[in-house]
Amino acid sequence: MELFEVMRTAFAARNFTDKPVSDQTLRKLLDNARFAPSGGNRQGWKVIAVREADTRARLAALIEPTFKRYVAQMQAGEAPYNTVNPSQVTDADIEAVKLPEGIISQVTQAPVVLLVFVDLSVVASFDRDLDRVGVISGGSIYPFVWNILLAARNEGLGGTLTTFVGAQEEALKSLLGVPPQMAFAAMLPIGEPVKQLTRLKRKPVDEFAMRERWDGPPLDA
C-alpha cells in the first residue's frame, strides 16, 4: 500500500477472524517497525508475543477492574483516568458496572497479543521533575509501537493500541517475568480484522495546528 493510504486507513481493529498470525509474519512486522526513531537510538523496546490460553485469561482478569472504572467514569461524564480533574466516581459506582459480554476477550483473544515494554534505564525522561505525569519517555517507544500497527495494516492485518493492563503493571510484570527497569507501554491485539475500514473520522488540521503561538492563526490551506 502507498504510505499515506496506510496512515489514513490504519483503524483501531478489535474484532478479528480466527486466521492465525505466524511467527514469520510477526518477524516481518517487527523487522520493519524496528527502524522507528528513539532517544539516542538506544532502541529500548522489548516485545512479548502471547498466544497461550492461560496467559490470555490472566491478562483479561488484570484488565477488568481498570475497564470497569473507565466505564464508570465515562457514565459519570468524566474523562477517565485523567490526571487533571479528580474523579467523583465511588467504589460502589465501579462495582455496579456490568461490562458487555466479550468486551475484554475480543482483544485478549486476538490471534496474537503483543506486549510492548520500554527500558527506563536508557530513556531520557526530561519531564521527570515536573509536577505532572510524565509523557516525554513515550517519545522513545510509541513511534515503534505505531510502526507495528502501520506494518500490520500494510500486510492486511489490523490491531489497536491498548493500555488498560498498565494500571496493573506490577502484576503484569510478575506474570510475564519482566525485569524491574522495564515499563509497560502497550498491548497490541493483532490479527485479520473481521471488517476492513477505510474511511476514518478525524478532526481537520485547522482545529489543532496553528502558526507561531497557541493563539496564532491556522496553517494556510
Side-chain angles (χ1 to χ4, degrees):
M1 297 174 68
E2 193 269 335
L3 174 61
F4 284 168
E5 181 183 359
V6 172
M7 293 171 64
R8 295 175 74 106
T9 61
F11 66 100
R14 296 182 179 87
N15 296 296
F16 306 96
T17 70
D18 294 331
K19 184 177 179 180
V21 178
S22 69
D23 281 359
Q24 290 73 24
T25 297
L26 286 181
R27 286 187 63 89
K28 183 176 183 181
L29 303 185
L30 297 174
D31 190 38
N32 286 286
R34 67 191 173 96
F35 286 94
S38 61
N41 195 28
R42 296 185 183 95
Q43 304 170 52
W45 45 71
K46 298 289 183 181
V47 181
I48 300 174
V50 171
R51 291 192 176 91
E52 292 182 356
D54 180 64
T55 306
R56 292 168 181 268
R58 294 175 71 178
L59 286 174
L62 290 177
I63 291 169
E64 183 175 358
T66 304
F67 206 120
K68 290 182 69 173
R69 176 178 170 180
Y70 185 95
V71 171
Q73 288 192 255
M74 288 284 289
Q75 292 174 344
E78 298 178 356
Y81 281 88
N82 83 85
T83 60
V84 176
N85 302 308
S87 176
Q88 303 303 311
V89 167
T90 67
D91 290 344
D93 295 330
I94 297 169
E95 186 60 31
V97 170
K98 303 299 182 185
L99 296 177
E101 186 173 353
I103 191 71
I104 297 175
S105 63
Q106 68 180 0
V107 292
T108 58
Q109 296 302 316
V112 65
V113 178
L114 303 182
L115 281 300
V116 183
F117 295 84
V118 61
D119 188 344
L120 294 180
S121 70
V122 302
V123 171
S125 302
F126 295 114
D127 55 356
R128 57 179 292 177
D129 297 322
L130 299 183
D131 187 22
R132 61 161 174 76
V133 66
V135 297
I136 286 178
S137 301
S140 284
I141 187 63
Y142 289 113
F144 170 71
V145 171
W146 188 238
N147 264 7
I148 296 174
L149 292 172
L150 291 180
R153 174 62 182 155
N154 191 61
E155 296 300 308
L157 300 174
T160 189
L161 197 168
T162 73
T163 53
F164 284 103
V165 75
Q168 303 289 334
E169 182 178 82
E170 290 307 310
L172 175 67
K173 290 163 70 172
S174 177
L175 172 63
L176 301 176
V178 177
Q181 78 274 13
M182 305 301 295
F184 167 78
M187 186 181 94
L188 310 177
I190 300 290
E192 179 185 70
V194 170
K195 183 178 181 180
Q196 292 281 7
L197 303 182
T198 57
R199 299 185 65 181
L200 310 183
K201 294 181 180 179
R202 299 291 187 269
K203 294 178 180 179
V205 173
D206 284 355
E207 288 193 24
F208 61 82
M210 62 286 294
R211 285 188 285 153
E212 306 300 341
R213 292 176 49 84
W214 183 267
D215 57 353
L219 297 172
D220 292 334

